[in-house]
Amino acid sequence: MSRVTLSLSGTEVLCQEEHPSLLVALEAHQVEVEYQCREGYCGSCRCRLVAGQVDWLTEPLAFISDGEILPCCCRAKGDIEIEM
């Protein structure tokens, strides 16, 4: 289980083993996230990783800059903070 802190609101949500991705964990806690594909190639869910690390479930096909993640294709690796 990992704690995900949303830096803009200070909200904390738990990412549990049953959540296959960070996007699913956020949705399970009623956090509104823009997305289109859930496969890593549209980039709509792009956000900045402020602190911590993620494990990529699949290599993103959308362009992401250093420090950005796509919640649709990663999981929190320990506690993280994201700009959202």
Side-chain angles (χ1 to χ4, degrees):
M1 181 168 31
S2 301
R3 185 174 316 278
V4 179
T5 303
L6 309 181
S7 67
L8 299 180
S9 66
T11 302
E12 291 185 351
V13 300
L14 294 178
C15 187
Q16 300 176 352
E17 291 299 317
E18 69 256 15
H19 299 135
S21 70
L22 181 54
L23 176 60
V24 172
L26 293 168
E27 289 178 322
H29 294 283
Q30 288 74 50
V31 175
E32 241 180 81
V33 181
E34 178 66 36
Y35 69 90
Q36 297 294 321
C37 71
R38 294 186 178 266
E39 299 293 327
Y41 48 76
C42 79
S44 294
C45 64
R46 176 183 292 114
C47 66
R48 192 167 74 84
L49 180 65
V50 177
Q53 296 180 340
V54 296
D55 281 328
W56 292 100
L57 305 169
T58 183
E59 191 67 29
L61 298 174
F63 175 79
I64 57 172
S65 297
D66 286 340
E68 291 182 329
I69 60 168
L70 298 178
C72 69
C73 57
C74 69
R75 291 183 56 134
K77 184 177 182 180
D79 294 346
I80 65 170
E81 182 176 348
I82 58 176
E83 189 174 281
M84 185 173 283

